[in-house]
Amino acid sequence: ERDLFAELGRRMSGVLSGQGLPPSLKPIATYLQRAREIAPKAPLVAYYARLHALQLALDLRPKMGKADMSVLLDLMDAMEEEKKGVDLSQADEAAAQVENFAQDLFARADEADRSGVSDMRVGRAFYAASVVIDVCRQFGELPTDLLEKHKYARWRFVEISKAAKEGRPPAPPPDIGSDPLFDFGPADLDNLKSGGGDGGGCGGCGGGFC
């Protein structure tokens, strides 16, 4: 019986970290990965990132086979266990905490970028900021400034990643909100993520960003 519990614990831990997900649940992997990075410093933000992933997973049920459903059930069980270790007594302030975390992460990445440090660590920090902004959607419609920062962060991640792959420095960052400059589509982001651009998270939370 002890071995069964140990196996269940390992399985739940793997699901929460975004590992071993079937293709049908690939869209939630980035939220689980970012939550794993964030958890040591911001457990409440990490909890809501995983909750956002679970909500997305539930929406994906029509595309899931029976085998994939077991992974979803594991995720639901893991979330129930995680809830026991998170202080939700101030749940009404959760939206502000998650947004403040996203704003701070974006600001740190943008400050580094505008000071001339535009490497992949900064690019990944931009991407991580966009992911946390996505997490804010579960609390309601995003305000205009967050929408602009979300779009800019993803665009800047793509620009920095492309420059790194081509062995050149990226162009200097433009003003946020300069929409005509954001010339990229979902395929650009997907291609970079599948090529490993998403693998490093925000450069390692604790590396000056998270």
Side-chain angles (χ1 to χ4, degrees):
E1 183 178 1
R2 186 176 301 172
D3 289 341
L4 289 176
F5 279 118
E7 175 59 29
L8 177 60
R10 285 193 295 269
R11 201 168 69 216
M12 290 167 64
S13 177
V15 169
L16 280 182
S17 66
Q19 298 174 354
L21 294 176
S24 63
L25 288 174
K26 183 180 177 182
I28 74 170
T30 191
Y31 300 101
L32 297 177
Q33 291 162 359
R34 298 297 82 78
R36 179 186 60 192
E37 296 165 355
I38 292 167
K41 289 196 173 182
L44 189 66
V45 177
Y47 171 79
Y48 280 99
R50 287 168 175 153
L51 183 59
H52 183 66
L54 177 58
Q55 292 169 344
L56 292 178
L58 292 172
D59 291 338
L60 293 170
R61 280 181 296 179
K63 300 179 181 179
M64 295 169 59
K66 289 183 178 180
D68 296 355
M69 284 297 295
S70 66
V71 179
L72 176 57
L73 293 175
D74 283 344
L75 178 58
M76 294 173 70
D77 289 341
M79 286 299 300
E80 283 299 313
E81 285 299 313
E82 183 178 17
K83 186 187 295 185
K84 298 176 183 178
V86 178
D87 181 9
L88 298 177
S89 61
Q90 298 179 333
D92 56 332
E93 300 178 8
Q97 290 190 43
V98 177
E99 179 178 336
N100 288 342
F101 189 90
Q103 294 273 22
D104 183 63
L105 183 54
F106 179 92
R108 288 170 181 268
D110 193 49
E111 181 180 2
D113 189 25
R114 294 181 188 280
S115 68
V117 182
S118 303
D119 55 17
M120 278 306 302
R121 188 171 66 99
V122 171
R124 293 183 184 117
F126 272 122
Y127 180 71
S130 77
V131 170
V132 181
I133 293 173
D134 269 335
V135 172
C136 294
R137 296 180 189 275
Q138 66 189 287
F139 303 113
E141 187 174 348
L142 295 181
T144 301
D145 71 312
L146 269 189
L147 285 171
E148 289 182 349
K149 287 177 179 177
H150 179 268
K151 187 174 184 179
Y152 179 92
R154 296 217 163 186
W155 171 81
R156 193 59 180 161
F157 165 68
V158 169
E159 288 296 297
I160 292 173
S161 298
K162 284 182 177 178
K165 286 188 173 183
E166 295 169 5
R168 59 173 176 81
D175 292 335
I176 299 170
S178 305
D179 285 351
L181 296 174
F182 302 159
D183 184 19
F184 79 107
D188 293 301
L189 189 62
D190 290 340
N191 288 339
L192 288 170
K193 286 160 62 180
S194 64
D198 186 31
C202 46
C205 290
F209 291 104
C210 290

